[in-house]
Amino acid sequence: MTRIDGHTYLIGLMAYPIRHSMSPTMHNTAFEALNLNFVYLAFDVPAEKLKDGVAAIRTLDMRGSNVSMPNKQVIIPYLDKLDISAELNQAVNTVVNDNGVLTGYTTDGVGFVTDLKKKGHEVAGKKMVLIGAGGAGTPIATQSALDGLSEIRIFNRHDGRFDHAQETVDIINEKTNCQASLTDLADQAALKEALAWADIFCDATGVGMKPLEDQSLVEDPTWFKKDLVVYDTVYAPRETKLMTIAKNAGVDHVYNGLGMMIEQGAAAFKLWTGQDMPIDLVQAAIE
Ligand code: NAD
């Protein structure tokens, strides 16, 4: 960290709790490797202190910040502009300060699409099944739609997120050329049929992560066809039960969410610095 001097720009991460985050390691590794005069620090900022946190971005002339829960929606009124990625999700994970003008972005969806692309799978022209429409699922759906996905069938259980999932479906149908629909996850026959129809299947629910590490939303291996691309947004553990079932069913392309997590950071890094994050170095630093 010897490069810190009077010209160093600060980038923050404002969320609560947040001290467990891998983002400071990712970004500082990349700044150091590229000899960029930035430093990235995590700050415990609960929602009631966020207004002051955003004021600090302006006062300290910070280059920007990431935000995570519980601040992804709360921050919107404090910003000057929203990029379309944040507008379609009504959520922000990245703030960029351009000479005092604060713009909010959501880079999770770009992270997902970029990771899939680097693994050899374009979303354009494809059909997707997505379970879950929360903080991860919504940007996955909207960004894939913006990037040319032809059709998406979202499944959500009938919980507090169901109405939000319907809003996402409506926004996609209204603002993009992708055709979207929502089905109750309880309709298992519809899920089975959709998996046979889809090119890409993404589970964005967190089932498979502690304390649900012994659960999978698809238990029957015959529901997976071999050429389906199977993506779980969970990255701890690196292989969820869903992934194991898919692999045992002979599916060739089965991925966890680590690549998405790194690529959402890389997209934010590019917005702040204009540079490409050295992905391999960053991955090695957090593995
Ligand atoms: P969230 O709480 O905002 O949304 C969860 C979604 O899953 C909702 O739609 C909810 O209805 C559904 N859901 C939750 N539990 C369920 C269950 N038992 N059965 C069926 N549906 C269920 O959470 P989130 O922020 O969207 O995170 C979801 C997962 O994605 C987490 O595991 C998180 O770690 C992961 N995530 C990964 C990345 C990445 O970059 N890879 C980014 C964000 C989140």
Side-chain angles (χ1 to χ4, degrees):
M1 285 288 175
T2 48
R3 66 198 162 74
I4 292 176
D5 60 20
H7 300 281
T8 302
Y9 277 101
L10 174 62
I11 295 173
L13 165 58
M14 301 186 192
Y16 186 83
I18 201 58
R19 295 290 177 176
H20 61 281
S21 170
M22 287 189 273
S23 294
T25 305
M26 284 173 53
H27 288 287
N28 290 318
T29 299
F31 294 147
E32 212 152 354
L34 299 182
N35 203 22
L36 296 173
N37 205 348
F38 293 87
V39 67
Y40 183 108
L41 295 177
F43 300 104
D44 273 330
V45 181
E48 63 272 19
K49 290 190 176 169
L50 186 63
K51 192 175 179 189
D52 290 344
V54 175
I57 298 177
R58 299 181 197 272
T59 306
L60 304 178
D61 195 21
M62 292 166 63
R63 179 65 180 124
S65 185
N66 277 136
V67 288
S68 191
M69 293 314 287
N71 296 333
K72 286 183 164 188
Q73 280 94 29
V74 184
I75 196 167
I76 291 175
Y78 308 137
L79 302 177
D80 301 309
K81 289 196 296 184
L82 291 185
D83 173 70
I84 187 162
S85 59
E87 195 189 312
L88 292 192
N89 294 302
Q90 282 303 301
V92 166
N93 80 337
T94 301
V95 178
V96 179
N97 178 6
D98 287 313
N99 302 314
V101 178
L102 303 190
T103 306
Y105 298 78
T106 292
T107 63
D108 294 298
V110 173
F112 172 77
V113 171
T114 305
D115 185 43
L116 267 188
K117 191 175 185 170
K118 287 190 176 174
K119 290 177 159 92
H121 314 288
E122 299 277 353
V123 296
K126 300 283 173 44
K127 296 175 288 193
M128 188 190 295
V129 169
L130 171 70
I131 310 183
T138 305
I140 285 171
T142 54
Q143 191 65 45
S144 299
L146 285 173
D147 288 353
L149 189 75
S150 67
E151 220 176 311
I152 184 164
R153 295 184 189 174
I154 300 176
F155 288 77
N156 210 97
R157 65 180 184 180
H158 229 290
D159 62 9
R161 276 288 181 180
F162 197 82
D163 290 347
H164 173 79
Q166 186 59 54
E167 283 166 26
T168 301
V169 162
D170 294 343
I171 285 172
I172 290 173
N173 285 329
E174 191 187 321
K175 306 249 181 185
T176 77
N177 293 324
C178 178
Q179 201 183 318
S181 65
L182 174 64
T183 307
D184 190 332
L185 184 60
D187 188 346
Q188 290 285 291
L191 180 62
K192 179 182 178 183
E193 192 268 322
L195 289 175
W197 157 91
D199 303 300
I200 301 166
F201 167 49
C202 178
D203 182 340
T205 64
V207 173
M209 195 174 72
K210 258 188 182 159
L212 305 177
E213 67 269 33
D214 59 345
Q215 293 186 27
S216 167
L217 290 174
V218 180
E219 290 278 359
D220 186 338
T222 66
W223 290 19
F224 290 115
K225 55 184 181 182
K226 291 191 178 7
D227 60 351
L228 188 65
V229 173
V230 175
Y231 200 104
D232 196 328
T233 58
V234 172
Y235 49 85
R238 295 286 193 263
E239 185 170 317
T240 59
K241 187 169 178 204
L242 175 101
M243 293 171 64
T244 305
I245 293 171
K247 282 182 182 175
N248 289 343
V251 179
D252 287 330
H253 302 292
V254 180
Y255 308 111
N256 64 33
L258 188 65
M260 172 179 165
M261 199 275 289
I262 294 172
E263 293 293 348
Q264 63 76 29
F269 187 88
K270 181 103 180 180
L271 288 169
W272 294 318
T273 68
Q275 309 257 345
D276 291 325
M277 182 181 255
I279 300 288
D280 292 348
L281 264 182
V282 165
Q283 186 155 353
I286 61 171
E287 286 276 28

